[in-house]
Amino acid sequence: MYEIIQKQEMAKGTIVKFIVNAPKIAVKIKPGQFVIIRVNETGERIPLTVADVDPFSGTITIIFQVVGKSTALMRSLNAGDFFKDVVGPLGKAAHIEKLGTIIFVGGGTGIAILHHITKAMKLAGNYVIGIIGAREKEMLILEEEMNLLCDEMVITTDDGSYGQQGFVTQPLEKYLDERHDVKEVYAIGPIIMMKNVSNLTKKYGIKTMVSLNPIMVDGTGMCGCCRVTIAGSTKFCCVDGPDFEASEIDFDELEKRNTMYLKEEKDALLFSIK
Amino acid sequence: MLDYDVKYLRYKTFLNTYCPHCNNSFNVKKDNKELLVFKAKFKKQDIDILMSPYLDVFEVEASVPLNEGDKLSDLICPHCLKSLITEEMKCDECNTKVAKLIITAYSKLLPFYICLQHGCEWHGLTKADERRIKLKIPRQEMPEQDQKLRIHNFVEVPYGLTTELALLEAGRCLQCKNPKCVDGCPVNIDIPEFIRLLCEEKFNEAAKKIKERNVLPAVCGRVCPQEDQCEKLCILGIRDKPVAIGNLERFIADFERKMDLVKIPIIKSKTNKRIAVIGSGPGGITVAADLTLLGYSVTIFEALHQSGGVLVYGIPEFRLPKSIVNFEIDYLKRLGCKIELNHVIGNIHTIDELLENFEAVYIGVGAGLPRFMKIPGENLCNVFSANEYLTRINLMKAYKFPEYDTPLPKGDKVAVIGGGNVAMDCARNALRTGAKEVTIIYRRSRIEMPARNEEIHHAEEEGVKFKLLTNPILYVGNDNNWVKGVECVNMKLGKPDDSGRRRPVVIKDSNFYQEYNLVIVAIGNGPNPIIFDSTPDLERNKWGYIEVNPETMETSKEFVYAGGDIVTGSATVILAMGAGRAAANAIHKKLSGKN
């Protein structure tokens, strides 16, 4: 059993942040790795990225968007409640080294995991440029935390309610035009965002890493649910990823695979309301 | 000479006994008035002639009151007054003279001998007759759930042998002096001995006998491929069907569990040495149980949220009820073994870190990385690996969706690719979760199918179709990227390959298209990379499995042992247990020899 230490609702309650007591994981988890949480006995195994860790107090911070029954159930929990299972760390860690200038592009809840990687890259001595975006002002998360890490930061909102109006790709393109010392772009967010960033950076020939979020069951390579096509061959996101070189990814396939259980998700929600 | 009455008489099957001299029947009636009257003289005060023969064909008990000072001399036919005592045979137990009767068994008249010594219960046929009778008993099959009913539920298909059937089946065992069946068992269970104990209705002792060698009899009795192991070598199998050793094992284990006879042994010599076992599948359980009993303190690390490995995520409920697995895991815990769930070794602890805290490490992680055929369309929606499909249903209980949160893959027309036990499990699961038509697509012919005959037979009974000598080459998707059909080619069998099976060859221009909206790929597993990523110094063979010393199961790293699928590739539960047993012995030898 893993205790929830702290709970915070963000973005009008559609995004929730939990600080969970998981000392063994907190010591081991590296940026880019994820955990799987099972809320209760009948629950499904939900892969969640880790936004931050505190190895000294033995806690991990998870941030997730409420999309279906399981995440709604998670939101209903409070500090002092317990998760039945937390498994981790899972997946390969992001490759952290001093490269020079790196642009970190984040959208929606993707900013959560981006934050963990940005922190490590900053500590490794990189010059960090952050571009984070959301649909509107209230939906933007971790602005302060990112601001602390980034040497330069741009905020975009789709409706222009905060920062620049538009998508994250616009300031990214500007940076890529102006700066020629960008060594790597890290983009984490909705699939469509990562796809657009990838298309853009391909033109500039800049290495771009993304973190994928396919549907998973066990998260240890055992089931193959999370398979993605990378450079024409099948990879398992949970053991080969979740970070991949963006230019090689078949985003369209991933997008369709991720909609596989939309109907079931609705059914489950209706069932739980009843 | 004295006249006396037989006090009481009990029989299960009617037995007629005759005098060997005059062939008159000793009329046996249940009524106390007209009972068989033996004339005899005995020297002891009381004697019980207990005729509860070895075979469950009949059972007669007779109690004879005698006067003090009587001499044991004779048992006399009431019709011809001739002595029934014979020199032909002697009592096996007390080496005294025995009485000879004629009995009818299987519509034959056979001589039957009983010992008259007080307290001796020996009785029997001549060895040749005994053998002949045993050969007449047909193999007893387990009653099964109706095939039309069972595809609508997840209840176990065979109900198991009843006590009567088990005794009858056990009676078939010839008790060979040089039993071949034991050699066929990967953990060398003393099969004739447990069957003998079963015949004597000493079920608890029989269970103990099995457990000396096998910690999971209830599991193995269900999922072992006995027809390729112990039963394959059974002498009875040459002319007739072999003894149903697996079913008897299952009966004994179920009896012990249901009657609550399982006792936790007291572990006498505790050592302070610690052993880490990675994976709580059948191999890990064996190592853990063996070493715990030897006094080691064992910790099992399991990656999933439930222990049991393939027994809980792979094998379906209707083939191996999860309550049995949980019972065995519980037994392990009661023995004192620690189980750490949600621990993915390689990530949370590396093997090297484990070696700092444990004297030895056993890797029994299985081959957990599903294989695909690398043909186009394999990543379409509703194309699954068998592992995912089974995990969703078995471990995550998706068949109870939406009560359980994990969604259940659905399709009317289901194709299962592969011919192993896992393919059969998938096909039968699909039927139980609402598929209208399920087809198994296998590239070789029926004979080469690696699945157990029993599984193929069950699948066929339930209405699974078989497309043999067929191989998929392409999955076709609709606009939304969901699979809608499979393009296949026909195959023919060519020359035998390394495995000895005939290699399937594509027949040119035999392509055809078939509609399916759910495809399950069940073509086996490769090694999972997680442990190797953090332990590069673990030597592996050309297929990527761990290289071990075949006798001790020790890997290239000292104090690290491995066994099961991660060494052999996809194999069986019992082979993993055999490897676990070998490793446990080697670990004990090494660690106890050190100090």
Side-chain angles (χ1 to χ4, degrees), chain B residues 18 20 119 131 209 272 283 329 349 395 402 410 420 531 542 566:
Chain B
Y18 304 89
R131 206 181 154 95
K209 192 80 219 149
N272 51 4
I329 298 288
H349 303 303
L395 179 71
K410 274 193 174 160
I531 281 193
K542 61 175 172 175
I566 194 62

Side-chain angles (χ1 to χ4, degrees), chain A residues 7-69:
Chain A
K7 177 191 181 181
Q8 186 192 339
E9 290 195 7
M10 303 190 280
K12 302 180 192 166
T14 60
I15 296 176
V16 182
K17 173 176 152 184
F18 278 135
I19 294 177
V20 184
N21 186 33
K24 275 189 178 176
I25 298 173
V27 174
K28 279 283 177 173
I29 199 158
K30 293 189 187 79
Q33 290 186 306
F34 62 98
V35 294
I36 279 190
I37 288 184
R38 201 169 71 117
V39 181
N40 55 21
E41 197 49 52
T42 59
E44 53 182 334
R45 293 169 66 96
I46 319 158
L48 290 168
T49 49
V50 172
D52 209 352
V53 287
D54 185 349
F56 300 106
S57 61
T59 58
I60 56 172
T61 306
I62 51 168
I63 296 179
F64 61 91
Q65 193 162 12
V66 180
V67 285
K69 179 191 172 181

Side-chain angles (χ1 to χ4, degrees), chain B residues 205-255:
Chain B
E205 281 86 343
K208 277 194 192 122
K209 192 80 219 149
I210 299 175
K211 283 202 166 163
E212 281 175 12
R213 305 291 313 167
N214 180 346
V215 286
L216 297 172
V219 173
C220 290
R222 286 171 168 81
V223 301
C224 260
Q226 290 99 4
E227 62 277 10
D228 289 328
Q229 298 172 347
C230 49
E231 293 182 17
K232 190 184 189 179
L233 299 174
C234 176
I235 298 297
L236 278 183
I238 297 170
R239 283 213 194 144
D240 188 18
K241 288 179 180 165
V243 177
I245 300 167
N247 295 352
L248 293 177
E249 183 185 21
R250 170 187 163 146
F251 168 80
I252 291 285
D254 286 357
F255 185 91

Side-chain angles (χ1 to χ4, degrees), chain A residues 24 28 38 42 44-45 69 85 88-89 220-223 225 227 229 234 253 256-257 260-261 264 271, chain B residues 305 342-343 347-348 353 368-370 378-380 382-385 387-388 392 401 405-406 481 528:
Chain A
K24 275 189 178 176
K28 279 283 177 173
R38 201 169 71 117
T42 59
E44 53 182 334
R45 293 169 66 96
K69 179 191 172 181
D85 301 290
T220 60
M222 198 257 298
C223 80
C225 177
R227 53 195 197 276
T229 305
T234 298
E253 178 191 275
K256 280 169 181 153
R257 280 186 71 84
M260 228 166 129
Y261 296 107
E264 278 81 1
F271 178 83
Chain B
H305 58 258
N342 297 328
H343 277 60
N347 286 355
I348 194 134
E353 285 166 350
L369 198 78
E378 236 164 11
N379 292 350
L380 291 169
N382 248 20
V383 178
F384 293 94
S385 75
N387 269 4
E388 179 183 355
R392 280 179 181 273
F401 179 86
D405 296 343
T406 305
N481 230 30
N528 189 303

Side-chain angles (χ1 to χ4, degrees), chain A residues 14-263:
Chain A
T14 60
I15 296 176
V16 182
K17 173 176 152 184
F18 278 135
I19 294 177
V20 184
N21 186 33
K24 275 189 178 176
I25 298 173
V27 174
K28 279 283 177 173
I29 199 158
K30 293 189 187 79
Q33 290 186 306
F34 62 98
V35 294
I36 279 190
I37 288 184
R38 201 169 71 117
V39 181
N40 55 21
E41 197 49 52
T42 59
E44 53 182 334
R45 293 169 66 96
I46 319 158
L48 290 168
T49 49
V50 172
D52 209 352
V53 287
D54 185 349
F56 300 106
S57 61
T59 58
I60 56 172
T61 306
I62 51 168
I63 296 179
F64 61 91
Q65 193 162 12
V66 180
V67 285
K69 179 191 172 181
S70 296
T71 40
L73 180 67
M74 280 171 74
R75 180 175 58 187
S76 72
L77 299 179
N78 287 306
D81 290 341
F82 290 85
F83 288 130
K84 185 100 178 55
D85 301 290
V86 179
V87 198
L90 297 169
K92 284 205 166 83
H95 190 66
I96 307 294
E97 65 169 315
K98 188 177 175 182
L99 296 168
T101 307
I102 305 175
I103 303 182
F104 288 87
V105 186
T109 37
I111 302 170
I113 183 164
L114 190 76
H115 170 257
H116 200 192
I117 300 173
T118 312
K119 196 171 166 184
M121 284 294 206
K122 175 73 188 165
L123 288 174
N126 291 291
Y127 185 81
V128 172
I129 301 169
I131 305 171
I132 56 172
R135 217 167 50 228
E136 52 188 302
K137 188 183 174 188
E138 278 78 21
M139 300 300 285
L140 190 71
I141 60 165
L142 297 179
E143 186 199 337
E144 263 177 53
E145 287 87 342
M146 284 301 282
N147 220 343
L148 279 173
L149 294 175
C150 296
D151 297 294
E152 293 174 41
M153 196 166 87
V154 183
I155 292 167
T156 66
T157 49
D158 298 4
D159 63 353
S161 55
Y162 191 53
Q164 293 182 21
Q165 202 240 321
F167 301 113
V168 285
T169 40
Q170 290 156 359
L172 177 63
E173 192 167 9
K174 209 175 138 210
Y175 268 118
L176 294 179
D177 280 335
E178 287 168 3
R179 296 186 70 117
H180 300 289
D181 61 341
V182 177
K183 289 284 183 297
E184 194 174 279
V185 173
Y186 235 102
I188 305 172
I191 293 172
I192 183 75
M193 184 209 96
M194 295 192 283
K195 185 176 153 187
N196 289 338
V197 168
S198 170
N199 287 341
L200 180 68
T201 54
K202 233 186 262 178
K203 279 190 256 167
Y204 294 87
I206 292 171
K207 187 186 170 194
T208 305
M209 295 300 287
V210 296
S211 177
L212 301 183
N213 60 336
I215 300 171
M216 290 186 186
V217 181
D218 70 295
T220 60
M222 198 257 298
C223 80
C225 177
C226 61
R227 53 195 197 276
V228 285
T229 305
I230 310 288
S233 66
T234 298
K235 297 274 178 206
F236 290 2
C237 188
C238 63
V239 286
D240 300 320
D243 295 2
F244 291 102
E245 170 81 51
S247 58
E248 296 174 336
I249 300 168
D250 185 343
F251 282 107
D252 296 337
E253 178 191 275
L254 174 64
E255 204 169 0
K256 280 169 181 153
R257 280 186 71 84
N258 272 7
T259 60
M260 228 166 129
Y261 296 107
L262 281 185
K263 188 189 167 289

